[in-house]
Amino acid sequence: MGGRIVRDMRVPLLAFLVLFLIRSLAGAVEKPFNFTETPGKLPKEVVPTEYAIRIVPNMDNFTFAGSETVKLNVRSPVYQLVLNALELRIEAASVDGKELPLSEIKTDTEEELLTLTLPSGLAAGDHALMLRFTGKINQQGQGLFYMRYQEHGSGARKVMLGTQFEATDARRFFPCWDEPAFRARFQLTVVVPENWLAVSNMPIESEQKIAGGKEVRFAPTPLMSSYLNVFVAGELDFIESQVGPTQVRVIATKGKAELGRYALKVSAEILKYYNDYFGVPYPLPKLDQIAIPGGFGGAMENWGGITYYESVLLFDPKNSSAQTKQDICEVIAHEMAHMWFGDLVTMAWWDNLWLNEGFASWMGSKCTAHLNPQWEVWLARDLPRDPTRRSGIAKEAAMESDARSTTHPIHQPVATEAEANSAFDDITYKKGQSFLRMLESFLGEDVFRDGIRRYIAAHKYSNTTTADLWNALSDASSKSVREIAAGWTEQPGFPVVNVKRETDGKVRLTQERFTVNFKNAPPLLWQIPLTYSLVGEAAATLLMTDKTATLEKVPADRALKLNVNGAGNYRVQYDEPSWKLLLKTLPKLGVEDRVNLMSDAWALVQAGRAPVSLYFGLVETLPASTDLAEREQIINVLDFMNGLWLDSSEHEKFQRYAQGLLRPTFEALGWASKPDEPANAERLRASLISALGHLDDPEVLASCREHFEKYVADPPSLAPDLRPAVLAVVGRYADEKTWNKLHELGLKTTSIEDKQNYYNALAGASDPKLVKKTLAIALTDELPTSRAIFLVSRVARDSGRPDIAWEFAKTNMKALLTKVDAAGANRYAPSLFAFFSDDSRADELRAYAKKNLSQATAPEVAKVIDEIQFRAEFKKRLAIQIDARIEKKNH
Ligand SMILES: [Zn+2]
């Protein structure tokens, strides 16, 4: 908030100091968890302790009937009970056996509240509330939802049920105190068809046949937050294993459970790792990993019953790619970290969502890297399922968002349900992850783990604020973690450290805020846990607490690298002598340091702090290498520039230059894999095929078509790793006949992964007639709802025709929005503008939002407008600079 107020002023030094003091104090304001002081809408006088809930779904009309008894602890006398309910019809209510007149039952749809007025009041002490209600079963992942799918093998059309409650949708399933600090025990009973498997957080306690199916009662949960409840049911199969006292299962639709072998194996490995890391063993008797074929797009850490979109859990050794395998491992590791960080210990309120998500992202990556060192996890390119989110190394994606005027602190106030749902963004997840990684490397791995163990032990079955985590880490490290952390969690943005060589071996370091497309940003100061090394020597650390610092005794002829292994969440800008020395020592640097230099150089170009020649000069100097992370960094940049210039005169010239940069690596690798090649070679091959194909490389295009013909006749002829790339290139240049073939293949397969590959290929088709054909699919039920809506975003990104995609979306917005889940609702419409680089589109979005969108979408609208303006400006700036560079290279 401070950022906006002063953004258009020059800030004199005094104001800067005051601002800094205020910010430091703001950091001190947050206190350890205290129930009565926790934000939220619900009064804290009444605390539910136990829920017994019974739900009877009606699959003919997609409604359900429910009843519940809630044991209440009333802390001081009240005349009203206020709890959450949404899209539920309350049919009856009684308190301590006394029926309330219907006139005393009020539902407020706007505030999502249910208020029961008690004529004679309720004394302090224990009471029981009984409610009867009905609700609806949605088709998108909000509350209870249904999914239609084709059964594996038979191809029969089936339907099943699932739930998605985070952030604030448990209240669509049963009336409840739906705020994370109201922990309670939940016992669920459901009625389902007899041939269905029903799954919830806890094991089944009893099961009995009744008219119309069977009644299944689950064991009560431990004390937990309402959003962690889960219910999934359908014609399901499972495979299982045992890890100590814990039963681990992978559950999928009939015929697919065997594809859960890999997930079952890594779940067991991860469980052992976390049992040790957290120092408190996994507390529930079972852990289910549930694959669901639609409804929502990601994964959800319901305690004991984690739900996954099928393609991030199931792995087919014959047909799945190595990328899929790595995604599965990372997503499982992330969700399982939540079993402790999120479920056993839960953030008190949504303003601290980063505690859950930043931590699980960091822990998930750390665990995945530990189990699979060959994957280079910290450098891996993150390809979000939502195509409008930034791809690239997780840390880089967060820093790109965080450099803009539209960023926010990790710790941000949340007042409404819409704000809670908007908090699930790159800053919360990826900046949180990146900051924790930097903090861990500064405190040391063992000290950090010791702090986490103290934290979990002290707060299990309870809630916390960020202050509780800092206290535990301070106790373990004897360092003032809160002071270091405040700058990173309580204020927006991050710093760039300028490196300047002076005389007598002195190197002067100066920090300032790093921004992109953000003039007159308020200056801020950070405590930076710096790392540095003379290339070839061991790393040293320095906590930079002031605006400047000096390194001594740095020989004038030795290269100095800051941010060792790129583990820190800051940029570095070197002066010319330092940069030249680094360029000379590139072959001696490890891949993490090289990728870090490339990422920083590209960011400096974006920020207008350096000409584009800084980046391409570095790329052209790099030693020939087939390292995946390094080449993918280049591919990401070229891909971005290619998209920027699709309709301009520079396009062809740029494409030839870009092909020239990538071709040598592709020629060294060739099409066919070799037995002795490095672990990541096949994935790099796929990335290069896709990148060169999109840069209109005629040879690659011809080979892709050839491979596609063979693949259609004989699928095993094309390696699973190469399929997405080959299909995408073929799709991009498809004529009607090819489009129809891809569509036919997509319709036929029951593998979600294959299906996704085919529809992604269709989304890339650039012929306007075919672009329209692809878009029309989004309105059918060919794809699960969460994928159908992303199809439009994909077309906007991959076809080169965001204009046609937007026209389509505008016309069909109402139908599309019925397929969007809670987390996506605020950003869907604005996100479709993210691929325009023409200022007039910013005006169009502004006008559209004013007329059609709710206030809750305002932050997303602002982000996308900023993105369009940045692209428009950057495009002009790059055109001039790259022209000069290409001319120079051609001479
Ligand atoms: Zn998470």
Side-chain angles (χ1 to χ4, degrees), residues 255-267:
K256 284 190 170 174
E258 260 318 303
L259 301 176
R261 281 289 157 206
Y262 174 69
L264 190 65
K265 179 181 128 298
V266 295
S267 298

Side-chain angles (χ1 to χ4, degrees), residues 195-214:
N195 64 335
W196 279 25
L197 176 68
V199 187
S200 185
N201 306 83
M202 297 294 282
I204 291 173
E205 192 179 81
S206 69
E207 201 172 293
Q208 63 178 61
K209 269 189 212 174
I210 59 164
K214 62 180 175 184

Side-chain angles (χ1 to χ4, degrees), residues 166 299 301 334-335 338 356-357 360-361 424 429:
E166 195 182 20
E301 69 267 24
H334 174 110
E335 300 306 326
H338 277 312
N356 274 11
E357 297 304 345
S361 300
F424 293 79
Y429 280 71

Side-chain angles (χ1 to χ4, degrees), residues 831-853:
S831 76
L832 292 170
F833 276 80
F835 306 105
F836 288 121
S837 50
D838 179 345
D839 280 324
S840 68
R841 292 289 184 174
D843 301 336
E844 187 183 344
L845 172 56
R846 215 177 271 122
Y848 179 83
K850 205 171 162 201
K851 203 164 155 223
N852 301 286
L853 302 179

Side-chain angles (χ1 to χ4, degrees), residues 553-570:
K553 294 181 190 157
V554 179
D557 59 344
R558 293 287 303 277
L560 171 74
K561 169 79 178 48
L562 269 70
N563 196 358
V564 176
N565 294 332
N569 193 71
Y570 51 91

Side-chain angles (χ1 to χ4, degrees), residues 17-149:
L17 285 174
V18 170
L19 184 71
F20 179 62
L21 276 172
I22 291 168
R23 287 198 178 282
S24 310
L25 291 171
V29 166
E30 202 194 28
K31 293 189 192 123
F33 170 64
N34 175 318
F35 178 73
T36 48
E37 285 170 24
T38 297
K41 272 187 198 167
L42 301 178
K44 304 278 197 302
E45 284 83 21
V46 178
V47 181
T49 55
E50 278 176 45
Y51 293 76
I53 307 146
R54 186 174 186 273
I55 301 286
V56 186
N58 180 336
M59 299 303 288
D60 296 326
N61 59 8
F62 294 118
T63 60
F64 63 90
S67 59
E68 68 179 354
T69 303
V70 190
K71 288 191 184 162
L72 304 176
N73 179 252
V74 176
R75 302 169 137 206
S76 55
V78 290
Y79 284 87
Q80 282 190 328
L81 293 176
V82 184
L83 60 157
N84 295 112
L86 184 61
E87 296 196 324
L88 294 177
R89 234 180 90 100
I90 309 300
E91 315 226 298
S94 63
V95 176
D96 297 333
K98 272 180 255 145
E99 184 108 3
L100 285 181
L102 284 177
S103 59
E104 303 300 339
I105 304 172
K106 292 259 156 34
T107 48
D108 179 343
T109 313
E110 189 76 4
E111 292 292 324
E112 308 186 3
L113 294 176
L114 167 63
T115 304
L116 307 172
T117 304
L118 312 160
S120 51
L122 217 51
D126 293 338
H127 298 276
L129 165 69
M130 207 288 287
L131 289 166
R132 260 193 311 115
F133 50 94
T134 56
K136 66 174 198 177
I137 307 179
N138 291 310
Q139 62 163 329
Q140 80 279 31
Q142 283 189 319
L144 180 62
F145 63 95
Y146 68 90
M147 290 153 276
R148 296 190 189 282
Y149 63 97

